Amino acid sequence: MQYQLICVERQGAVGILRLNRPEVLNALSVALVAELGHAIRAFNQEDQIGALLLLGSEKAFAAGADIKDMQDKAFVDLFLSDFPHLAGDGWQALQQGRKPIIAAVAGFALGGGCELAMACDFILAAENAKFGQPEVNIGTLPGAGGTQRLTRAVGKAKAMEMCLTGRMMDAQEAERAGLVSRIVPLADLEAEALKVATKIAAQSRPVTLMIKEAVNQAFESSLADGLKLERRLFASSFALEDQKEGMRAFVEKRRPEFKHR
Ligand code: HXC
């Protein structure tokens, strides 16, 4: 497929997706989200790819759903179509994709842009990153997970304040609150994100997929059920040659040569 609104490339075993609507700060149009979904699914099916990286520009990761696309929609349109911004293939591909995906956020990650970053497995932030759910300022509310994922990430007080007032969080506050894994100088963001994604892609593929599944389960189940899944997956990993190789390599003081990656 020829993409118009995103750029797609491969660096070793990392699939890189870059939002590419700079004139509107990467606002998420229906067409962009559809392209994103197609590309995420393709990378998830590609054997050589072990991790994905989602990038925006230096000024904006994404400034939200495209307001011009949305402004004249009627309730019935959104309800019947399950609005493609909210439940389109791009979002589903992100939620269903089993390979780890990192969001590298510089500049604005607002509304649907913040939600898109939060739907990834973790966020690396540049020093100039700004996160917010400003939908309240335009007469609506987050619609792609903002009230849910932000609350889980930063707790009720900050999520409530941000969603009710539209206040943005800078990178420092986002790191303190646990929204991002860490902050990187803007000039280093993409190289660092690629380094992290490359490291993940070099691990045993079945193990990284199990880890992603287990961590995500922490948001979906009771502690007892989550711990049970973790124990089952831990035991399962001992059926992998990669576990034998990893532990043998440690004992022999050498780097592991994982078979499945
Ligand atoms: C459409 C957008 C846009 C958006 C920016 N632009 N955000 N177009 N949808 N979400 C366009 C502007 O209209 C402008 O186009 C160009 O991008 C540059 O933006 P400026 O406003 O001139 O830039 P700046 O002054 O630097 O301000 C940056 C900003 C501001 C603070 C990020 O653009 C802003 O507040 N944007 C809207 C943020 C927002 O409300 N997001 C939530 C959307 S609702 P022109 O043609 O004038 O040059 C949402 C719901 C999610 O996301 C639902 C699920 C997906």
Side-chain angles (χ1 to χ4, degrees), residues 65-95:
D66 191 317
I67 298 169
K68 288 172 196 155
D69 253 21
M70 284 186 296
Q71 60 179 343
D72 294 324
K73 297 282 183 202
F75 161 77
V76 71
D77 298 330
L78 299 189
F79 186 73
L80 290 181
S81 69
D82 222 359
F83 199 34
H85 290 101
L86 306 179
D89 192 50
W91 294 95
Q92 291 188 7
L94 204 50
Q95 279 161 39

PDB file of all heavy atoms in Angstrom, residues 65-95:
ATOM      1  N   ALA A  65      -7.464  14.418  17.333  1.00  0.00           N
ATOM      2  CA  ALA A  65      -8.288  14.065  16.179  1.00  0.00           C
ATOM      3  C   ALA A  65      -8.478  15.324  15.351  1.00  0.00           C
ATOM      4  O   ALA A  65      -8.431  16.443  15.873  1.00  0.00           O
ATOM      5  CB  ALA A  65      -9.628  13.530  16.656  1.00  0.00           C
ATOM      6  N   ASP A  66      -8.678  15.147  14.068  1.00  0.00           N
ATOM      7  CA  ASP A  66      -8.810  16.298  13.165  1.00  0.00           C
ATOM      8  C   ASP A  66     -10.152  16.984  13.422  1.00  0.00           C
ATOM      9  O   ASP A  66     -11.218  16.436  13.116  1.00  0.00           O
ATOM     10  CB  ASP A  66      -8.707  15.818  11.712  1.00  0.00           C
ATOM     11  CG  ASP A  66      -8.577  16.990  10.760  1.00  0.00           C
ATOM     12  OD1 ASP A  66      -9.310  17.991  10.937  1.00  0.00           O
ATOM     13  OD2 ASP A  66      -7.739  16.917   9.851  1.00  0.00           O
ATOM     14  N   ILE A  67     -10.065  18.179  13.983  1.00  0.00           N
ATOM     15  CA  ILE A  67     -11.282  18.875  14.409  1.00  0.00           C
ATOM     16  C   ILE A  67     -12.137  19.253  13.192  1.00  0.00           C
ATOM     17  O   ILE A  67     -13.363  19.176  13.240  1.00  0.00           O
ATOM     18  CB  ILE A  67     -10.912  20.125  15.249  1.00  0.00           C
ATOM     19  CG1 ILE A  67     -10.173  19.687  16.519  1.00  0.00           C
ATOM     20  CG2 ILE A  67     -12.158  20.932  15.612  1.00  0.00           C
ATOM     21  CD1 ILE A  67      -9.526  20.818  17.315  1.00  0.00           C
ATOM     22  N   LYS A  68     -11.478  19.582  12.087  1.00  0.00           N
ATOM     23  CA  LYS A  68     -12.257  19.954  10.882  1.00  0.00           C
ATOM     24  C   LYS A  68     -13.023  18.752  10.333  1.00  0.00           C
ATOM     25  O   LYS A  68     -14.113  18.897   9.803  1.00  0.00           O
ATOM     26  CB  LYS A  68     -11.331  20.538   9.821  1.00  0.00           C
ATOM     27  CG  LYS A  68     -10.836  21.934  10.204  1.00  0.00           C
ATOM     28  CD  LYS A  68      -9.765  22.450   9.256  1.00  0.00           C
ATOM     29  CE  LYS A  68      -9.048  23.629   9.920  1.00  0.00           C
ATOM     30  NZ  LYS A  68      -7.686  23.835   9.431  1.00  0.00           N
ATOM     31  N   ASP A  69     -12.443  17.572  10.470  1.00  0.00           N
ATOM     32  CA  ASP A  69     -13.124  16.328  10.061  1.00  0.00           C
ATOM     33  C   ASP A  69     -14.363  16.061  10.904  1.00  0.00           C
ATOM     34  O   ASP A  69     -15.320  15.464  10.449  1.00  0.00           O
ATOM     35  CB  ASP A  69     -12.180  15.137  10.348  1.00  0.00           C
ATOM     36  CG  ASP A  69     -11.574  14.548   9.100  1.00  0.00           C
ATOM     37  OD1 ASP A  69     -11.530  15.255   8.080  1.00  0.00           O
ATOM     38  OD2 ASP A  69     -11.118  13.391   9.167  1.00  0.00           O
ATOM     39  N   MET A  70     -14.274  16.489  12.162  1.00  0.00           N
ATOM     40  CA  MET A  70     -15.296  16.057  13.129  1.00  0.00           C
ATOM     41  C   MET A  70     -16.424  17.042  13.322  1.00  0.00           C
ATOM     42  O   MET A  70     -17.516  16.667  13.731  1.00  0.00           O
ATOM     43  CB  MET A  70     -14.663  15.916  14.541  1.00  0.00           C
ATOM     44  CG  MET A  70     -13.825  14.723  14.774  1.00  0.00           C
ATOM     45  SD  MET A  70     -13.330  14.622  16.507  1.00  0.00           S
ATOM     46  CE  MET A  70     -12.329  16.083  16.715  1.00  0.00           C
ATOM     47  N   GLN A  71     -16.131  18.335  13.060  1.00  0.00           N
ATOM     48  CA  GLN A  71     -16.991  19.374  13.633  1.00  0.00           C
ATOM     49  C   GLN A  71     -18.458  19.260  13.234  1.00  0.00           C
ATOM     50  O   GLN A  71     -19.333  19.572  14.033  1.00  0.00           O
ATOM     51  CB  GLN A  71     -16.454  20.767  13.288  1.00  0.00           C
ATOM     52  CG  GLN A  71     -16.380  21.060  11.813  1.00  0.00           C
ATOM     53  CD  GLN A  71     -15.866  22.473  11.549  1.00  0.00           C
ATOM     54  OE1 GLN A  71     -15.865  23.326  12.418  1.00  0.00           O
ATOM     55  NE2 GLN A  71     -15.433  22.722  10.328  1.00  0.00           N
ATOM     56  N   ASP A  72     -18.748  18.787  12.018  1.00  0.00           N
ATOM     57  CA  ASP A  72     -20.140  18.779  11.574  1.00  0.00           C
ATOM     58  C   ASP A  72     -20.825  17.428  11.735  1.00  0.00           C
ATOM     59  O   ASP A  72     -21.940  17.236  11.252  1.00  0.00           O
ATOM     60  CB  ASP A  72     -20.215  19.224  10.099  1.00  0.00           C
ATOM     61  CG  ASP A  72     -19.785  20.675   9.956  1.00  0.00           C
ATOM     62  OD1 ASP A  72     -20.092  21.478  10.876  1.00  0.00           O
ATOM     63  OD2 ASP A  72     -19.117  21.004   8.951  1.00  0.00           O
ATOM     64  N   LYS A  73     -20.166  16.514  12.392  1.00  0.00           N
ATOM     65  CA  LYS A  73     -20.762  15.183  12.554  1.00  0.00           C
ATOM     66  C   LYS A  73     -21.971  15.262  13.491  1.00  0.00           C
ATOM     67  O   LYS A  73     -21.983  16.025  14.460  1.00  0.00           O
ATOM     68  CB  LYS A  73     -19.752  14.200  13.164  1.00  0.00           C
ATOM     69  CG  LYS A  73     -18.545  13.962  12.295  1.00  0.00           C
ATOM     70  CD  LYS A  73     -18.852  13.015  11.170  1.00  0.00           C
ATOM     71  CE  LYS A  73     -17.598  12.743  10.364  1.00  0.00           C
ATOM     72  NZ  LYS A  73     -17.894  12.284   9.009  1.00  0.00           N
ATOM     73  N   ALA A  74     -22.953  14.427  13.204  1.00  0.00           N
ATOM     74  CA  ALA A  74     -24.121  14.330  14.082  1.00  0.00           C
ATOM     75  C   ALA A  74     -23.927  13.131  15.004  1.00  0.00           C
ATOM     76  O   ALA A  74     -23.190  12.195  14.674  1.00  0.00           O
ATOM     77  CB  ALA A  74     -25.374  14.117  13.235  1.00  0.00           C
ATOM     78  N   PHE A  75     -24.639  13.193  16.125  1.00  0.00           N
ATOM     79  CA  PHE A  75     -24.561  12.071  17.072  1.00  0.00           C
ATOM     80  C   PHE A  75     -24.819  10.742  16.362  1.00  0.00           C
ATOM     81  O   PHE A  75     -24.087   9.768  16.530  1.00  0.00           O
ATOM     82  CB  PHE A  75     -25.587  12.255  18.212  1.00  0.00           C
ATOM     83  CG  PHE A  75     -25.886  10.971  18.934  1.00  0.00           C
ATOM     84  CD1 PHE A  75     -25.000  10.444  19.859  1.00  0.00           C
ATOM     85  CD2 PHE A  75     -27.053  10.244  18.637  1.00  0.00           C
ATOM     86  CE1 PHE A  75     -25.257   9.235  20.496  1.00  0.00           C
ATOM     87  CE2 PHE A  75     -27.305   9.038  19.270  1.00  0.00           C
ATOM     88  CZ  PHE A  75     -26.410   8.532  20.201  1.00  0.00           C
ATOM     89  N   VAL A  76     -25.875  10.751  15.543  1.00  0.00           N
ATOM     90  CA  VAL A  76     -26.264   9.485  14.929  1.00  0.00           C
ATOM     91  C   VAL A  76     -25.166   8.942  14.009  1.00  0.00           C
ATOM     92  O   VAL A  76     -24.954   7.736  13.921  1.00  0.00           O
ATOM     93  CB  VAL A  76     -27.641   9.630  14.211  1.00  0.00           C
ATOM     94  CG1 VAL A  76     -27.525  10.488  12.949  1.00  0.00           C
ATOM     95  CG2 VAL A  76     -28.238   8.269  13.908  1.00  0.00           C
ATOM     96  N   ASP A  77     -24.429   9.865  13.354  1.00  0.00           N
ATOM     97  CA  ASP A  77     -23.313   9.412  12.490  1.00  0.00           C
ATOM     98  C   ASP A  77     -22.251   8.713  13.337  1.00  0.00           C
ATOM     99  O   ASP A  77     -21.749   7.650  12.984  1.00  0.00           O
ATOM    100  CB  ASP A  77     -22.629  10.595  11.791  1.00  0.00           C
ATOM    101  CG  ASP A  77     -23.576  11.336  10.868  1.00  0.00           C
ATOM    102  OD1 ASP A  77     -24.488  10.683  10.333  1.00  0.00           O
ATOM    103  OD2 ASP A  77     -23.385  12.561  10.683  1.00  0.00           O
ATOM    104  N   LEU A  78     -21.894   9.387  14.420  1.00  0.00           N
ATOM    105  CA  LEU A  78     -20.831   8.830  15.263  1.00  0.00           C
ATOM    106  C   LEU A  78     -21.272   7.516  15.885  1.00  0.00           C
ATOM    107  O   LEU A  78     -20.526   6.537  15.911  1.00  0.00           O
ATOM    108  CB  LEU A  78     -20.459   9.799  16.393  1.00  0.00           C
ATOM    109  CG  LEU A  78     -19.927  11.165  15.994  1.00  0.00           C
ATOM    110  CD1 LEU A  78     -19.416  11.902  17.222  1.00  0.00           C
ATOM    111  CD2 LEU A  78     -18.803  11.037  14.987  1.00  0.00           C
ATOM    112  N   PHE A  79     -22.496   7.514  16.370  1.00  0.00           N
ATOM    113  CA  PHE A  79     -22.978   6.322  17.079  1.00  0.00           C
ATOM    114  C   PHE A  79     -23.081   5.129  16.139  1.00  0.00           C
ATOM    115  O   PHE A  79     -22.613   4.033  16.441  1.00  0.00           O
ATOM    116  CB  PHE A  79     -24.334   6.627  17.729  1.00  0.00           C
ATOM    117  CG  PHE A  79     -24.828   5.515  18.593  1.00  0.00           C
ATOM    118  CD1 PHE A  79     -24.245   5.263  19.825  1.00  0.00           C
ATOM    119  CD2 PHE A  79     -25.860   4.694  18.162  1.00  0.00           C
ATOM    120  CE1 PHE A  79     -24.684   4.224  20.623  1.00  0.00           C
ATOM    121  CE2 PHE A  79     -26.306   3.643  18.959  1.00  0.00           C
ATOM    122  CZ  PHE A  79     -25.715   3.411  20.191  1.00  0.00           C
ATOM    123  N   LEU A  80     -23.661   5.369  14.965  1.00  0.00           N
ATOM    124  CA  LEU A  80     -23.864   4.241  14.043  1.00  0.00           C
ATOM    125  C   LEU A  80     -22.556   3.748  13.436  1.00  0.00           C
ATOM    126  O   LEU A  80     -22.367   2.559  13.242  1.00  0.00           O
ATOM    127  CB  LEU A  80     -24.864   4.622  12.945  1.00  0.00           C
ATOM    128  CG  LEU A  80     -26.305   4.779  13.426  1.00  0.00           C
ATOM    129  CD1 LEU A  80     -27.216   5.128  12.256  1.00  0.00           C
ATOM    130  CD2 LEU A  80     -26.809   3.511  14.116  1.00  0.00           C
ATOM    131  N   SER A  81     -21.662   4.673  13.141  1.00  0.00           N
ATOM    132  CA  SER A  81     -20.412   4.248  12.486  1.00  0.00           C
ATOM    133  C   SER A  81     -19.363   3.833  13.513  1.00  0.00           C
ATOM    134  O   SER A  81     -18.321   3.314  13.149  1.00  0.00           O
ATOM    135  CB  SER A  81     -19.848   5.382  11.635  1.00  0.00           C
ATOM    136  OG  SER A  81     -19.392   6.428  12.480  1.00  0.00           O
ATOM    137  N   ASP A  82     -19.642   4.088  14.806  1.00  0.00           N
ATOM    138  CA  ASP A  82     -18.644   3.904  15.854  1.00  0.00           C
ATOM    139  C   ASP A  82     -17.399   4.680  15.456  1.00  0.00           C
ATOM    140  O   ASP A  82     -16.282   4.206  15.549  1.00  0.00           O
ATOM    141  CB  ASP A  82     -18.326   2.416  16.085  1.00  0.00           C
ATOM    142  CG  ASP A  82     -18.221   2.108  17.566  1.00  0.00           C
ATOM    143  OD1 ASP A  82     -18.382   3.034  18.379  1.00  0.00           O
ATOM    144  OD2 ASP A  82     -17.978   0.943  17.909  1.00  0.00           O
ATOM    145  N   PHE A  83     -17.625   5.855  15.046  1.00  0.00           N
ATOM    146  CA  PHE A  83     -16.655   6.844  14.559  1.00  0.00           C
ATOM    147  C   PHE A  83     -15.250   6.295  14.333  1.00  0.00           C
ATOM    148  O   PHE A  83     -14.569   5.873  15.271  1.00  0.00           O
ATOM    149  CB  PHE A  83     -16.590   7.979  15.580  1.00  0.00           C
ATOM    150  CG  PHE A  83     -16.011   9.236  15.019  1.00  0.00           C
ATOM    151  CD1 PHE A  83     -16.228   9.574  13.707  1.00  0.00           C
ATOM    152  CD2 PHE A  83     -15.250  10.081  15.806  1.00  0.00           C
ATOM    153  CE1 PHE A  83     -15.699  10.744  13.187  1.00  0.00           C
ATOM    154  CE2 PHE A  83     -14.722  11.246  15.307  1.00  0.00           C
ATOM    155  CZ  PHE A  83     -14.954  11.574  13.996  1.00  0.00           C
ATOM    156  N   PRO A  84     -14.818   6.304  13.088  1.00  0.00           N
ATOM    157  CA  PRO A  84     -13.513   5.706  12.784  1.00  0.00           C
ATOM    158  C   PRO A  84     -12.332   6.324  13.534  1.00  0.00           C
ATOM    159  O   PRO A  84     -11.318   5.651  13.723  1.00  0.00           O
ATOM    160  CB  PRO A  84     -13.358   5.899  11.276  1.00  0.00           C
ATOM    161  CG  PRO A  84     -14.567   6.585  10.786  1.00  0.00           C
ATOM    162  CD  PRO A  84     -15.546   6.756  11.886  1.00  0.00           C
ATOM    163  N   HIS A  85     -12.441   7.593  13.976  1.00  0.00           N
ATOM    164  CA  HIS A  85     -11.358   8.125  14.807  1.00  0.00           C
ATOM    165  C   HIS A  85     -11.242   7.337  16.104  1.00  0.00           C
ATOM    166  O   HIS A  85     -10.180   7.185  16.676  1.00  0.00           O
ATOM    167  CB  HIS A  85     -11.621   9.577  15.223  1.00  0.00           C
ATOM    168  CG  HIS A  85     -11.522  10.555  14.117  1.00  0.00           C
ATOM    169  ND1 HIS A  85     -12.625  11.056  13.499  1.00  0.00           N
ATOM    170  CD2 HIS A  85     -10.454  11.108  13.520  1.00  0.00           C
ATOM    171  CE1 HIS A  85     -12.235  11.900  12.561  1.00  0.00           C
ATOM    172  NE2 HIS A  85     -10.924  11.955  12.553  1.00  0.00           N
ATOM    173  N   LEU A  86     -12.424   6.927  16.588  1.00  0.00           N
ATOM    174  CA  LEU A  86     -12.451   6.323  17.916  1.00  0.00           C
ATOM    175  C   LEU A  86     -12.224   4.823  17.851  1.00  0.00           C
ATOM    176  O   LEU A  86     -11.521   4.267  18.682  1.00  0.00           O
ATOM    177  CB  LEU A  86     -13.824   6.575  18.583  1.00  0.00           C
ATOM    178  CG  LEU A  86     -14.271   8.016  18.657  1.00  0.00           C
ATOM    179  CD1 LEU A  86     -15.625   8.099  19.312  1.00  0.00           C
ATOM    180  CD2 LEU A  86     -13.273   8.840  19.461  1.00  0.00           C
ATOM    181  N   ALA A  87     -12.852   4.196  16.901  1.00  0.00           N
ATOM    182  CA  ALA A  87     -12.822   2.730  16.896  1.00  0.00           C
ATOM    183  C   ALA A  87     -12.344   2.207  15.552  1.00  0.00           C
ATOM    184  O   ALA A  87     -12.622   1.079  15.193  1.00  0.00           O
ATOM    185  CB  ALA A  87     -14.221   2.207  17.206  1.00  0.00           C
ATOM    186  N   GLY A  88     -11.655   3.039  14.818  1.00  0.00           N
ATOM    187  CA  GLY A  88     -11.208   2.638  13.490  1.00  0.00           C
ATOM    188  C   GLY A  88     -10.116   1.596  13.549  1.00  0.00           C
ATOM    189  O   GLY A  88      -9.590   1.249  14.609  1.00  0.00           O
ATOM    190  N   ASP A  89      -9.765   1.152  12.373  1.00  0.00           N
ATOM    191  CA  ASP A  89      -8.820   0.063  12.243  1.00  0.00           C
ATOM    192  C   ASP A  89      -7.479   0.389  12.908  1.00  0.00           C
ATOM    193  O   ASP A  89      -6.845  -0.488  13.484  1.00  0.00           O
ATOM    194  CB  ASP A  89      -8.624  -0.208  10.744  1.00  0.00           C
ATOM    195  CG  ASP A  89      -7.897  -1.503  10.534  1.00  0.00           C
ATOM    196  OD1 ASP A  89      -8.316  -2.500  11.121  1.00  0.00           O
ATOM    197  OD2 ASP A  89      -6.887  -1.503   9.810  1.00  0.00           O
ATOM    198  N   GLY A  90      -7.071   1.665  12.833  1.00  0.00           N
ATOM    199  CA  GLY A  90      -5.786   2.045  13.416  1.00  0.00           C
ATOM    200  C   GLY A  90      -5.746   1.766  14.907  1.00  0.00           C
ATOM    201  O   GLY A  90      -4.788   1.211  15.437  1.00  0.00           O
ATOM    202  N   TRP A  91      -6.818   2.159  15.591  1.00  0.00           N
ATOM    203  CA  TRP A  91      -6.861   1.944  17.041  1.00  0.00           C
ATOM    204  C   TRP A  91      -6.950   0.463  17.355  1.00  0.00           C
ATOM    205  O   TRP A  91      -6.308  -0.036  18.283  1.00  0.00           O
ATOM    206  CB  TRP A  91      -8.064   2.676  17.656  1.00  0.00           C
ATOM    207  CG  TRP A  91      -7.943   4.154  17.553  1.00  0.00           C
ATOM    208  CD1 TRP A  91      -8.473   4.950  16.577  1.00  0.00           C
ATOM    209  CD2 TRP A  91      -7.213   5.026  18.424  1.00  0.00           C
ATOM    210  NE1 TRP A  91      -8.126   6.254  16.812  1.00  0.00           N
ATOM    211  CE2 TRP A  91      -7.376   6.339  17.928  1.00  0.00           C
ATOM    212  CE3 TRP A  91      -6.463   4.817  19.585  1.00  0.00           C
ATOM    213  CZ2 TRP A  91      -6.792   7.444  18.551  1.00  0.00           C
ATOM    214  CZ3 TRP A  91      -5.885   5.924  20.210  1.00  0.00           C
ATOM    215  CH2 TRP A  91      -6.050   7.214  19.698  1.00  0.00           C
ATOM    216  N   GLN A  92      -7.767  -0.253  16.546  1.00  0.00           N
ATOM    217  CA  GLN A  92      -7.894  -1.689  16.821  1.00  0.00           C
ATOM    218  C   GLN A  92      -6.590  -2.416  16.548  1.00  0.00           C
ATOM    219  O   GLN A  92      -6.204  -3.318  17.296  1.00  0.00           O
ATOM    220  CB  GLN A  92      -9.032  -2.274  15.996  1.00  0.00           C
ATOM    221  CG  GLN A  92     -10.348  -1.745  16.523  1.00  0.00           C
ATOM    222  CD  GLN A  92     -11.550  -2.397  15.897  1.00  0.00           C
ATOM    223  OE1 GLN A  92     -11.434  -3.353  15.146  1.00  0.00           O
ATOM    224  NE2 GLN A  92     -12.710  -1.867  16.208  1.00  0.00           N
ATOM    225  N   ALA A  93      -5.919  -2.010  15.477  1.00  0.00           N
ATOM    226  CA  ALA A  93      -4.636  -2.645  15.155  1.00  0.00           C
ATOM    227  C   ALA A  93      -3.652  -2.435  16.300  1.00  0.00           C
ATOM    228  O   ALA A  93      -2.894  -3.329  16.676  1.00  0.00           O
ATOM    229  CB  ALA A  93      -4.079  -2.070  13.864  1.00  0.00           C
ATOM    230  N   LEU A  94      -3.697  -1.235  16.874  1.00  0.00           N
ATOM    231  CA  LEU A  94      -2.803  -0.920  17.989  1.00  0.00           C
ATOM    232  C   LEU A  94      -3.131  -1.794  19.196  1.00  0.00           C
ATOM    233  O   LEU A  94      -2.245  -2.339  19.862  1.00  0.00           O
ATOM    234  CB  LEU A  94      -2.996   0.560  18.335  1.00  0.00           C
ATOM    235  CG  LEU A  94      -1.884   1.313  19.023  1.00  0.00           C
ATOM    236  CD1 LEU A  94      -0.565   1.117  18.315  1.00  0.00           C
ATOM    237  CD2 LEU A  94      -2.239   2.810  19.047  1.00  0.00           C
ATOM    238  N   GLN A  95      -4.433  -1.910  19.470  1.00  0.00           N
ATOM    239  CA  GLN A  95      -4.831  -2.701  20.643  1.00  0.00           C
ATOM    240  C   GLN A  95      -4.616  -4.193  20.446  1.00  0.00           C
ATOM    241  O   GLN A  95      -4.347  -4.918  21.400  1.00  0.00           O
ATOM    242  CB  GLN A  95      -6.297  -2.433  20.972  1.00  0.00           C
ATOM    243  CG  GLN A  95      -6.453  -1.149  21.767  1.00  0.00           C
ATOM    244  CD  GLN A  95      -7.855  -0.596  21.726  1.00  0.00           C
ATOM    245  OE1 GLN A  95      -8.816  -1.346  21.769  1.00  0.00           O
ATOM    246  NE2 GLN A  95      -7.978   0.709  21.637  1.00  0.00           N
TER     247      GLN A  95
END
